[in-house]
Amino acid sequence: MALRRFDLEAGGDSFAFRSETEEKIAFWRGKYPADKQRSAVIPLLWLAQKDNNGWLSEPAMREVANRLEMPYIRVYEVATFYTMFRLQPVGKFHVQLCGTTPCQLRGAESLKDVCTKEIGKAMYVTDDKRLSWEEVECLGACVNAPMVQINDDFFEDLTPESLSAILGRLRHGAEVTPGPQIDRVNSAPEGGTTVLTDASLFDGSRTRVALLPNLPKPPEPTPEAAGLPQAGSPTITKREEPASKDIKS
Amino acid sequence: MSDTYKLNIDGVEVEVPKAYTLMQACEEAGAEIPRFCYHERLSVAGNCRMCLVEWEGAPKPLASCAQIVGDLRPNRDGSPPVIRTRGAYVEKARKGVMEFLLINHPLDCPICDQGGECDLQDQAVAYGRSDSRYDENKRAVEDKNMGPLVKTIMTRCIQCTRCVRFVAEVAGVEEIGMISRGESAEITTYLEKSLTSELSGNVIDLCPVGALTSKPYAFNARPWELRKTSSIDVMDAMGAAIRIDAKGDAVMRILPETNEEINEEWLSDKSRFVWDGLARQRLDRPYVRRNGKLHPVTWPEALDAVKAALSVGADQIGVVAGDLIEVEQAKAALDFFRGLGVRNTDCRPAGAQYGTSGVREHYLLNPTLTGVEEADALLLIGANPRVEAAVWNARIRKSWLWGNLKVAVIGEAAELTYPYTHLGTSPEALNGGAVRDFFKGAKRAMIVVGEAAACRSDGAAILAAALSMAQETGAVSDGWAGFGMLHTAAGRVGALDAGFIPAEGGRATKDILGGALKTVVLLGADEADLSQLGPAQVIYVGSHGDAGAARADIVLPCAAYSEITATYVNTEGRVQMTTRAVQPKGEAREGWAIFRALSGVTGKVLAYDTADELRTLLRGRTGQNTAFSGRGYAPGSKGVPALLAAPPPAAGGLGNAPFSRAIADFYLTNPIARASRTMAECSALATSLDTAVAAE
């Protein structure tokens, strides 16, 4: 992990939350008692990042600190701790490319090459300010590896060609469809199911019980076998009944 | 249920309170536990892992600093838990921790200022490997700016976070933090701004490695070359315990020593970094003004000049003692001038109106500095402890943070690092009902009047009103003297105790310096208003070339506080002694000796030939009780009977002008500080912070 520092130049001098965000801020702050408002720092930083084109500028961080009456350094610590708070500008569409083992085994390296070719090096913002990318750790969609996250959506089962196409469409403002980019539903098997395909499994025809002839009758289960205590047997655990003075009214 | 718990530590059975940490218990049992992050005056972090001990039966070693004794289970047979602080198991665990700490720590001890007094160095001797098994590159960290006092070499940092906890908890100014995480974790101030706390120098002492070192002291000396002298600080009226480290003739640095009753183990930045002022602007020989210019002369010539200047008649002579005057000098000067019949003597250069009632308790901080930890309500009248007694402010903050102290302020609404009720800005607020409401329910109330209040024209009325309020609200009761003055000058209480006030019919500072007298003697009084002196002959006795020496016609050089063994009385009335760490500069002499010599010239010889004889006189005969009889303790609640007497009558009522500040610039309060380059730098930085920085 490289050093994480604010891009002070790109951050400018000021930041203001969008007016429609205020409601969300009130929602998050409402979750915490009045003297524990600091607990809302991560949701608020997250909202600030959304309102600041996908990254957290220094004035945005200060705004959060002022609202929660926290020392700047305390918010700074949080913002630099979590890598999902980006301290440098990103493009309108920020690609987070998973490079962890399952995705890597399924071809994430070649996706990285695509990003480098189409966008540039990691965290570089294209001249039209539309695209940037970075490599991240596992995003939890290993079934559909390799995958990327673009802003809030997952794009899964990628090939260099399909990622290149997605980037191309984003660059030109065309619609893209999140989810698996091949013929599969969510994380269902590719090309349809291969097991449990017998229709009779599901039509109810296999529900009858086969009885073998001449089978001896099973004995009636004894209480011990059923896990029940013998009548009148001593219990091994002694339980103290709470006295009335122990019970708080 | 018992509050204590038995433990078997290294075969020794000890019984300790359940709330103890395992580390405290081990120390109780006589074991020494190595540590980096743990500090007894800070919260427990438990992140360095150096204090590992073995608990028999536990799957892993325990960090003893973070383990509460009461949480340990006894053994199955009911015998106390067995803890081992020595042995192969513990040794191996600690060696492992040390190896990890040293992975990224540079091997630059030969060029590191911490070398020789470094916790890591010391503990590596015990737990370090002789070689490294780490082949990769060490991590390097950019150095950070923390201002003119703290030098940072962040590659050396082991992330113990002592500095982070200190500024957040003790100093109360959250400015240092640990950013990023894992291998890139770094300690920094917010965007590398300078620290604004006046206690920031303490992070240097706290840092167990050489990451935070003293910037002014950088590469000056090695700890083993320094001559260490325990002494007393005079930068404020607290009289903090200090250690003066000197090499040859020069003071190289000043460090705090532990005095639980005054400064715990902290020291304000002014006290710690003022030492370069002791080597600059010094008066090292006598001067006499001829044709408008000061010319160096010999002592006999200077004494003759003084004799001539003093031959104007006792009523035409005035003497003003300054903030740093030691008791010996005050006593000798007073004896000398009283011998000449001079009545115009005053040790209150700012014109404060205390000390004339004849009751010592009226100008002491009777509740004592530690008393604030027992108090439950504190009213500050015209006092700003953050700049007037910075270390005490940390104690107030501690009482607010961990105890149930509430604070109210009448005066300037300054940032004090703890919240307070602001009851008003002018003395009139003392009459208001809000003040009475504030004290309602308080069992140990504390009323502290500041220098700014005492120096007003209605100062006497404020003091009387505050005292009668203390009596009314029960702040003064059996065993609790809840009324006190917070002084700003180290020499004031001592000089008042010596009786350095106008004699019957004598003039006070304002009149002495008003231009009516023919000869004015300034004993290091540089803070007084010297603009109205007119044609008066001025004799300046002091250590530094400052405002007083600039105006003087005769300059007599005397030694500074690091160069004398002398008595100071702190704001609580605690008598303490400094110790000579270095020789006086050039021909400078101890203050009392100058007046002893003068008495020889004028013919009315003083009754003592050595400082010891003078001090014996001050202490009084055996059985006789003077202010200077005892040493090292504060009278505290002994003053209750005196405080319960009716307050001295004061002419005039309480004014409505807002309180001003007693100290305009924390870093530049006395001639020594004004001569210090470090203090000038701090002051420039602090004042520039007040004004808006223009956007580029």
Side-chain angles (χ1 to χ4, degrees), chain B residues 170 198-199 202 233 236 238 240 256 259 262-272 369 372 385-398 666:
Chain B
V170 179
E198 47 296 296
L199 296 170
N202 293 299
D233 172 58
D236 53 40
M238 290 179 67
N259 186 338
I262 298 176
N263 58 326
E264 299 173 85
E265 61 176 88
W266 315 126
L267 197 57
S268 81
D269 285 351
K270 185 166 46 170
S271 310
R272 183 189 295 264
L369 298 168
V372 74
R386 188 170 175 191
V387 292
E388 290 166 29
V391 180
W392 189 49
N393 198 54
R395 203 190 277 269
I396 300 175
R397 179 180 155 78
K398 183 169 89 174
F666 169 72

Side-chain angles (χ1 to χ4, degrees), chain B residues 87-164:
Chain B
Y89 182 83
V90 173
E91 191 96 326
K92 188 180 173 210
R94 290 185 190 160
K95 278 187 169 165
V97 170
M98 178 58 81
E99 190 173 4
F100 275 135
L101 285 175
L102 292 179
I103 278 182
N104 281 317
H105 191 82
L107 262 180
D108 61 352
C109 303
I111 56 152
C112 175
D113 261 333
Q114 193 85 351
E117 49 186 7
C118 173
D119 289 358
L120 187 62
Q121 212 176 25
D122 294 348
Q123 291 174 37
V125 172
Y127 297 104
R129 292 170 59 89
S130 56
D131 60 334
S132 174
R133 294 188 286 180
Y134 189 72
D135 290 333
E136 287 74 13
N137 286 331
K138 291 195 177 208
R139 157 189 113 120
V141 184
E142 282 170 42
D143 294 345
K144 308 289 186 294
N145 169 45
M146 288 200 187
L149 303 176
V150 183
K151 182 186 167 187
T152 63
I153 301 99
M154 296 317 288
T155 302
R156 295 179 188 148
C157 176
I158 58 168
Q159 275 112 31
C160 68
T161 68
R162 273 187 188 180
C163 51
V164 178

Side-chain angles (χ1 to χ4, degrees), chain B residues 41-223:
Chain B
R41 291 181 218 273
L42 302 175
S43 63
V44 173
N47 56 10
C48 78
R49 317 310 288 181
M50 197 61 204
C51 60
L52 295 176
V53 297
E54 178 186 4
W55 175 19
E56 196 177 276
K60 294 186 280 186
L62 294 178
S64 60
C65 70
Q67 178 69 43
I68 300 296
V69 165
D71 291 345
L72 296 170
R73 279 180 290 111
N75 294 328
R76 277 197 186 156
D77 59 359
S79 59
V82 176
I83 307 291
R84 275 190 284 271
T85 67
R86 288 188 291 265
Y89 182 83
V90 173
E91 191 96 326
K92 188 180 173 210
R94 290 185 190 160
K95 278 187 169 165
V97 170
M98 178 58 81
E99 190 173 4
F100 275 135
L101 285 175
L102 292 179
I103 278 182
N104 281 317
H105 191 82
L107 262 180
D108 61 352
C109 303
I111 56 152
C112 175
D113 261 333
Q114 193 85 351
E117 49 186 7
C118 173
D119 289 358
L120 187 62
Q121 212 176 25
D122 294 348
Q123 291 174 37
V125 172
Y127 297 104
R129 292 170 59 89
S130 56
D131 60 334
S132 174
R133 294 188 286 180
Y134 189 72
D135 290 333
E136 287 74 13
N137 286 331
K138 291 195 177 208
R139 157 189 113 120
V141 184
E142 282 170 42
D143 294 345
K144 308 289 186 294
N145 169 45
M146 288 200 187
L149 303 176
V150 183
K151 182 186 167 187
T152 63
I153 301 99
M154 296 317 288
T155 302
R156 295 179 188 148
C157 176
I158 58 168
Q159 275 112 31
C160 68
T161 68
R162 273 187 188 180
C163 51
V164 178
R165 283 174 284 146
F166 174 82
V167 292
E169 293 164 16
V170 179
V173 184
E174 293 192 50
E175 287 176 336
I176 306 184
M178 183 157 81
I179 62 162
S180 288
R181 59 172 155 155
E183 219 204 351
S184 19
E186 295 174 295
I187 300 288
T188 183
T189 53
Y190 182 65
L191 299 182
E192 302 203 22
K193 290 192 169 67
S194 299
L195 290 170
T196 60
S197 169
E198 47 296 296
L199 296 170
S200 66
N202 293 299
V203 300
I204 298 167
D205 289 345
L206 284 172
C207 186
V209 295
L212 306 179
T213 54
S214 166
K215 207 176 245 182
Y217 171 71
F219 309 127
N220 264 8
R222 283 302 194 182

Side-chain angles (χ1 to χ4, degrees), chain B residues 205-280:
Chain B
D205 289 345
L206 284 172
C207 186
V209 295
L212 306 179
T213 54
S214 166
K215 207 176 245 182
Y217 171 71
F219 309 127
N220 264 8
R222 283 302 194 182
W224 56 85
E225 314 174 307
L226 296 169
R227 204 169 58 245
K228 294 146 187 111
T229 315
S230 294
S231 190
I232 298 299
D233 172 58
V234 301
M235 290 300 122
D236 53 40
M238 290 179 67
I242 54 167
R243 192 183 88 191
I244 300 176
D245 284 6
K247 189 163 110 178
D249 221 13
V251 174
M252 302 307 275
R253 63 171 175 179
I254 292 172
L255 295 176
E257 282 194 340
T258 306
N259 186 338
E260 292 295 344
E261 297 186 331
I262 298 176
N263 58 326
E264 299 173 85
E265 61 176 88
W266 315 126
L267 197 57
S268 81
D269 285 351
K270 185 166 46 170
S271 310
R272 183 189 295 264
F273 293 106
V274 78
W275 50 265
D276 67 328
L278 289 167
R280 316 175 85 84

